[in-house]
Amino acid sequence: MTQTFAARIDREDPRRYEELTRLRLEDPQAVARAAATRIKHPGVRLGSQNFIIAADHPARGALSVGNRATAMADRRDLLDRLQIALENPAVDGVLASPDVLDELLLLGALDYKLVFGSMNRGGLTGLVNELDDRFTGHTAAALAALGADGGKMLTRIAYEDADTVATLEATAHAVSDLARHGLIAMVEPFISRRQGGKVVNELTPDAVIKSMGIASGLGESSAYTWLKIPVVAEMERVMAATTMPTVLLGGDPGGRPDEVFASWQHALAQPGVQGLTVGRTLLYPQDDDVAGAVATAASLLTHHTPVTSD
């Protein structure tokens, strides 16, 4: 019987990822070779919801989870948690910044997985120009070269902040570029504002619906556009706002886990919802049982054959 990742590795050994450092130092082309030999996911289809683990938070300086200010700071611990999550066969893929994606490729953890790169990480948490969210990560060309399935972009729309227009324009260019490469553009829109020196997102149905309408029209083609939205009240009305494939995000975990999972289950039942793209809620659950949290989330997804006309 094959041992689980947790059983195979000593999570207290500080040298457990030393091979990654060696490869980065002596053989940087190993990343490209790992990408070229990776076995790809068989492809997305209606009726089979996808489960993607997000791990692009540190690249925006967002290390906190709940009241733990530096929870995501330990890269070895993050890689442990990612491998535990990806080991579950119900997990279809990963969304990651270039550094994390390179590490997972070198670890051979992405066979049969969907791969999404994180494209704009320039809007650092707390930065004075946070809403001018520059594209500092993956490009469409780089994602195509890696054999990835698409790229994700955070798109915060603040009506009182002039930086919004630059972010919208950059997002539109990225959507167009991904479409030209035949890659999915996963757009994560929010209506945002500054409050008490911080950027906060408006998590009301009307705000989410407005953000979806704006995001859907970005770029020269919407053929490859997906939306990534939060779970809010009135998800029936929210999902009536689009025909685009839509995945649900988790955000910084708050509230009781059973309440969070119940809200996801209701939202996943809405037409057009293609699955979950969740990071901190599952990688850093309150009880620290990553495998258990992932298994619970996986149990909420549906896998059925869609009705077709004769």
Side-chain angles (χ1 to χ4, degrees):
M1 184 176 178
T2 304
Q3 284 186 315
T4 64
F5 169 79
R8 294 194 307 271
I9 195 166
D10 179 3
R11 295 182 65 183
E12 300 301 319
D13 180 5
R15 296 184 177 275
R16 62 191 182 281
Y17 290 110
E18 195 169 43
E19 177 64 7
L20 294 182
T21 304
R22 187 192 70 78
L23 288 170
R24 287 183 177 280
L25 179 69
E26 299 177 1
D27 187 15
Q29 286 297 316
V31 173
R33 292 197 304 274
T37 57
R38 181 178 69 87
I39 304 171
K40 294 186 178 181
H41 188 276
V44 297
R45 63 182 180 86
L46 184 66
S48 184
Q49 291 179 319
N50 298 113
F51 188 2
I52 299 163
I53 299 295
D56 59 346
H57 309 82
R60 200 168 66 83
L63 300 176
S64 66
V65 180
N67 59 6
R68 292 174 283 176
T70 59
M72 300 191 77
D74 187 326
R75 179 54 58 90
R76 294 177 297 221
D77 179 60
L78 174 59
L79 290 173
D80 289 343
R81 292 168 185 270
L82 281 168
Q83 290 192 87
I84 290 170
L86 288 165
E87 194 172 52
N88 187 315
V91 174
D92 292 286
V94 68
L95 160 62
S97 51
D99 53 328
V100 176
L101 191 56
D102 290 347
E103 289 162 343
L104 293 173
L105 284 167
L106 290 173
L107 290 167
L110 298 180
D111 280 346
Y112 303 104
K113 304 296 184 184
L114 293 167
V115 172
F116 288 87
S118 190
M119 301 180 75
N120 62 326
R121 297 281 84 188
L124 303 182
T125 301
L127 186 71
V128 64
N129 285 11
E130 182 174 345
L131 287 162
D132 182 4
D133 205 343
R134 305 290 178 93
F135 279 66
T136 58
H138 286 110
T139 63
L143 290 169
L146 285 174
D149 297 278
K152 168 254 184 178
M153 58 221 74
L154 176 61
T155 308
R156 290 171 293 183
I157 303 155
Y159 281 83
E160 296 83 17
D161 198 306
D163 287 331
T164 291
V165 69
T167 297
L168 289 174
E169 183 179 27
T171 299
H173 287 311
V175 170
S176 298
D177 207 9
L178 287 164
R180 286 192 288 270
H181 284 86
L183 299 177
I184 296 165
M186 185 185 290
V187 186
E188 181 181 1
F190 290 98
I191 302 298
S192 305
R193 67 182 188 280
R194 291 191 181 275
Q195 178 177 298
K198 296 182 179 181
V199 175
V200 297
N201 300 321
E202 294 187 25
L203 301 179
T204 65
D206 286 344
V208 174
I209 289 169
K210 182 183 287 188
S211 75
M212 292 165 71
I214 295 167
S216 297
L218 296 174
E220 62 192 22
S221 172
S222 66
Y224 291 89
T225 301
W226 289 18
L227 298 178
K228 179 173 183 266
I229 66 170
V231 176
V232 295
E234 302 179 48
M235 285 300 292
E236 297 90 343
R237 186 161 69 90
V238 169
M239 286 308 302
T242 187
T243 63
M244 292 179 176
T246 301
V247 293
L248 309 174
L249 62 92
D252 195 2
R256 290 167 38 195
D258 57 336
E259 294 174 343
V260 172
F261 288 131
S263 70
W264 291 358
Q265 185 170 33
H266 173 74
L268 284 163
Q270 305 309 312
V273 176
Q274 184 58 30
L276 296 169
T277 300
V278 179
R280 291 172 290 184
T281 303
L282 301 179
L283 292 174
Y284 298 87
Q286 292 179 9
D287 63 2
D288 220 28
D289 181 5
V290 177
V294 169
T296 299
S299 72
L300 307 178
L301 301 172
T302 60
H303 299 279
H304 60 80
T305 303
V307 176
T308 58
S309 58
D310 294 330

